[in-house]
Amino acid sequence: MYNAYETFHNRRTFLNTFFLLSISIGNRNQISKLLFNFTILQKMSLQDFQNGEDFVDQMLCGLQSGLPWPDMSIPTGDLFDDQSAFLTTKLRQHQISAGNGGVGILSSDTKSLLLQQQLLLFQNEMVDPSSFNSIQDLVHGFTGSLQSNQTQNFQYPSAQNFGSSGPTTAPITKAPTTVGASSGGGGSGPPAQPRQRVRARRGQATDPHSIAERLRRERIAERMKSLQELVPNANKTDKASMLDEIIDYVKFLQLQVKVLSMSRMGGVAAVAPLVADISTEGGPDGVQAAAGGAAGRSSNGTPSSSTNDTMTVAENQVVKLMEEDMGSAMQYLQRKGLCLMPISLATAISTATATCHLSSARNNHQLLGGGEGGGPSSPNLSVPKP
Amino acid sequence: MSPPQQPSSTNPNSLKIRLTHRFLHNLNNLNKKRSNLDNTQIHQRYNRVKLAAYASMAHVVGSRRAWSRAILWKIRNRKVSTRHKRVDHKPTNHHHARSIKRRTTNHSNPKREYVDPNGNSGQEVKLRKLVPGVETMDACGLLDETADYIKCLATQVEVMRNLVDLFSTI
């Protein structure tokens, strides 16, 4: 584009090429839209009103295609909201009047409005630093040419407007330095950088969407961190692998619940009324009574051919385990004359005794061992010492 | 030693204590209700214990979390549908009860394609299937609920493991 500027000396042909270029790029790119509107303004300045109808037609179609622009310009930053809103309203008024009138009412007002709006939007946009410099030069070229042309056709009002547009081009010169320094594109760093007025506005005003996006991403990152502490395998290389870990861990936990509820459910379910009574009564007196009652009540499904003593031991064990770690529970057992041994030994003992109850215990031990997988082999409570 | 009753905290020790109490209570209730009917069937017993586990987990957490609300609601619907089943044995009512259950438990769209129109990845969808009650939440809330769910599941597993270890040799 810069080459085109240099090579084409004649403004008109140059403008035509730009016009064609911008149309070909289409309305997707901000740069193309800028070019489009600049070309329109140039045409406005260059062509006389003697060309009449075709000029008006061009302007009308140009303005109409530029309609999405005012809509986009509305959600700009706080500092320039008033100005852009004002400009958009004025532009719309002029558009309506132009549409209705059909004569060359496309006066200097609309032109100035367009130019100012473009400059505003231009400042508010995040343009890549690479294309920025070329655009900036083009802007300088255009404004210079516009000013020179304006003095030919519309002297008084244009002088006012382009006088105001002059200082607005000044921040643009400062802007590339900041854009070059920070990473281009949306959402670079915190919005409140007081370095440049343009910079702060740019950070805030990029879109409310990008700010919301940034906040959302930060919140998600926080939650991921807290999840990472819960899940045992915590190497946060990226979000996707972390999510996979989380999913696997949830599945694993649910599987553990399944397995644990399958194993020894008879035993647990039978002893549960005992412990439940204890927990509801909550006193040591209730322990003895409940133990006696439950032992009498216990159905044939109980694996426990136990006496009241072991029941009370078990109850106290439950309480201990709730309050402290397994270590203290083990100590309690040892005080009571019980010992702990690994599962394999316990199964060996149980096979040695060879009752049907103990064989079922062994099966469930094996199930437990298989279900717990990679965890440490849990020490198993043993049979009371003889 | 942490105090046993702190309803607002999810301190792991207090959570464990409350879970244990509640779990045993639920087991007791379940066994009392249908003590004579299906005691011999292993599969049904296992289902009941599993249900007791999840129910206790959900009750302890209460209505604070979306997943616990979802579990409690499922359990309630399940009870309602089974009650319908028991009262009338007509096939129409049976279908009606089943349809109630299906309709109420799947209040979001039952078919979930792997890429939602929002552009969710397959992972998020999987996570939503695993954690109950997060069907309609955004990604942020989803992760929050998942964290809480994992915490409670882990404590529940620990409680169950300890209980089983305790009572296995008796």
Side-chain angles (χ1 to χ4, degrees):
Chain A
M1 291 188 289
Y2 200 72
N3 292 332
Y5 182 75
E6 286 180 53
T7 52
F8 286 99
H9 200 60
N10 189 1
R11 286 281 170 79
R12 195 160 293 189
T13 54
F14 159 61
L15 276 176
N16 286 331
T17 55
F18 261 94
F19 192 75
L20 287 173
L21 259 181
S22 57
I23 287 178
S24 61
I25 295 174
N27 274 342
R28 295 162 303 200
N29 202 357
Q30 298 298 328
I31 300 169
S32 68
K33 285 189 190 171
L34 277 171
L35 287 174
F36 193 63
N37 283 305
F38 271 121
T39 56
I40 290 170
L41 276 182
Q42 280 287 342
K43 289 206 180 222
M44 281 168 82
S45 64
L46 285 183
Q47 294 177 5
D48 302 331
F49 280 118
Q50 297 164 1
N51 290 345
E53 294 176 9
D54 55 345
F55 172 62
V56 172
D57 289 339
Q58 275 182 4
M59 286 317 304
L60 279 178
C61 71
L63 276 178
Q64 281 170 7
S65 63
L67 250 181
W69 253 46
D71 294 328
M72 276 176 34
S73 72
I74 286 177
T76 53
D78 305 331
L79 296 173
F80 278 74
D81 255 347
D82 303 331
Q83 281 197 21
S84 57
F86 169 73
L87 284 175
T88 49
T89 50
K90 284 221 87 174
L91 192 67
R92 288 229 184 84
Q93 287 172 10
H94 281 287
Q95 281 174 356
I96 291 170
S97 63
N100 292 338
V103 195
I105 308 181
L106 300 159
S107 59
S108 62
D109 286 341
T110 57
K111 240 179 21 172
S112 61
L113 280 175
L114 266 179
L115 181 61
Q116 283 196 1
Q117 216 174 30
Q118 288 159 26
L119 287 175
L120 277 178
L121 280 171
F122 194 62
Q123 291 164 1
N124 286 340
E125 283 166 3
M126 303 295 294
V127 188
D128 293 335
S130 56
S131 57
F132 198 95
N133 295 327
S134 58
I135 290 292
Q136 182 201 339
D137 298 332
L138 287 171
V139 167
H140 281 309
F142 272 137
T143 49
S145 65
L146 271 175
Q147 283 176 353
S148 61
N149 284 330
Q150 280 299 314
T151 51
Q152 292 173 15
N153 297 331
F154 311 99
Q155 293 188 354
Y156 180 64
S158 60
Q160 276 184 344
N161 296 320
F162 288 104
S164 61
S165 72
T168 56
T169 58
I172 295 179
T173 60
K174 288 189 210 163
T177 59
T178 61
V179 168
S182 66
S183 60
S188 58
Q193 279 181 7
R195 245 206 302 179
Q196 299 288 347
R197 205 178 55 158
V198 177
R199 189 73 196 100
R201 188 167 33 93
R202 194 178 288 262
Q204 283 173 3
T206 314
D207 299 305
H209 299 296
S210 75
I211 296 171
E213 268 292 315
R214 198 185 311 140
L215 275 176
R216 180 178 161 267
R217 253 179 272 138
E218 282 171 6
R219 276 161 62 188
I220 287 183
E222 273 178 44
R223 307 286 162 86
M224 290 287 290
K225 266 190 219 152
S226 63
L227 265 176
Q228 189 182 337
E229 291 161 18
L230 284 177
V231 176
N233 199 4
N235 50 344
K236 182 175 180 179
T237 49
D238 69 309
K239 195 173 145 194
S241 66
M242 200 59 214
L243 270 179
D244 281 334
E245 282 292 332
I246 291 168
I247 288 172
D248 286 338
Y249 190 57
V250 170
K251 280 193 200 161
F252 169 67
L253 285 176
Q254 286 178 343
L255 183 65
Q256 271 196 321
V257 169
K258 246 197 228 180
V259 165
L260 282 171
S261 65
M262 271 202 284
S263 74
R264 305 307 298 171
M265 49 189 177
V268 180
V271 182
L274 184 97
V275 187
D277 290 335
I278 293 158
S279 60
T280 50
E281 292 175 24
D285 304 327
V287 166
Q288 300 292 333
R297 249 192 294 134
S298 59
S299 62
N300 54 358
T302 54
S304 64
S305 56
S306 62
T307 62
N308 296 344
D309 292 332
T310 49
M311 275 304 143
T312 58
V313 164
E315 294 149 15
N316 292 332
Q317 268 310 303
V318 172
V319 174
K320 287 276 178 179
L321 276 176
M322 289 191 302
E323 289 171 357
E324 291 154 285
D325 286 344
M326 277 302 289
S328 60
M330 284 157 60
Q331 287 173 13
Y332 183 84
L333 275 177
Q334 285 171 1
R335 257 182 278 136
K336 284 289 173 180
L338 300 171
C339 70
L340 286 166
M341 57 176 63
I343 290 177
S344 48
L345 195 50
T347 56
I349 289 177
S350 62
T351 50
T353 53
T355 58
C356 65
H357 138 64
L358 284 171
S359 62
S360 66
R362 177 190 48 186
N363 286 337
N364 287 321
H365 284 313
Q366 284 174 356
L367 191 61
L368 254 185
E372 288 169 1
S377 64
S378 56
N380 198 0
L381 293 180
S382 74
V383 194
K385 275 185 186 167
Chain B
M1 190 149 57
S2 59
Q5 292 300 327
Q6 275 184 9
S8 57
S9 79
T10 48
N11 189 17
N13 281 336
S14 71
L15 186 65
K16 224 195 286 185
I17 293 167
R18 280 183 284 143
L19 263 179
T20 319
H21 279 280
R22 189 75 210 205
F23 179 47
L24 293 171
H25 180 71
N26 274 341
L27 272 182
N28 193 18
N29 284 344
L30 276 180
N31 275 327
K32 272 182 188 167
K33 275 181 195 172
R34 305 196 193 186
S35 53
N36 297 323
L37 285 178
D38 301 311
N39 247 347
T40 53
Q41 304 263 346
I42 289 180
H43 187 64
Q44 283 168 344
R45 255 206 237 161
Y46 141 68
N47 269 331
R48 270 188 280 129
V49 174
K50 189 171 77 157
L51 188 69
Y54 280 108
S56 67
M57 219 165 64
H59 273 289
V60 164
V61 171
S63 306
R64 273 181 278 132
R65 288 285 172 179
W67 63 264
S68 66
R69 285 196 291 266
I71 291 180
L72 290 174
W73 199 54
K74 268 188 223 171
I75 292 173
R76 210 169 294 154
N77 285 343
R78 205 183 148 134
K79 279 189 188 164
V80 166
S81 67
T82 50
R83 206 172 294 149
H84 278 286
K85 248 194 241 180
R86 257 211 242 162
V87 168
D88 319 271
H89 287 285
K90 297 176 192 171
T92 54
N93 270 345
H94 187 64
H95 286 306
H96 181 59
R98 221 194 265 165
S99 68
I100 280 179
K101 181 179 178 183
R102 200 179 295 141
R103 202 177 350 127
T104 47
T105 51
N106 245 344
H107 45 276
S108 55
N109 53 343
K111 267 192 189 172
R112 244 175 213 280
E113 295 143 357
Y114 256 79
V115 178
D116 282 342
N118 297 337
N120 288 337
S121 60
Q123 289 174 325
E124 269 183 46
V125 172
K126 277 189 215 168
L127 200 52
R128 281 172 205 271
K129 280 187 201 163
L130 286 175
V131 182
V134 287
E135 303 280 341
T136 52
M137 285 181 107
D138 56 338
C140 203
L142 171 69
L143 290 177
D144 211 14
E145 290 289 321
T146 310
D148 198 68
Y149 188 59
I150 284 179
K151 214 190 302 182
C152 283
L153 260 184
T155 23
Q156 176 74 33
V157 164
E158 202 181 333
V159 161
M160 286 174 78
R161 189 186 296 172
N162 286 335
L163 282 174
V164 172
D165 278 344
L166 262 185
F167 298 130
S168 55
T169 54
I170 296 163

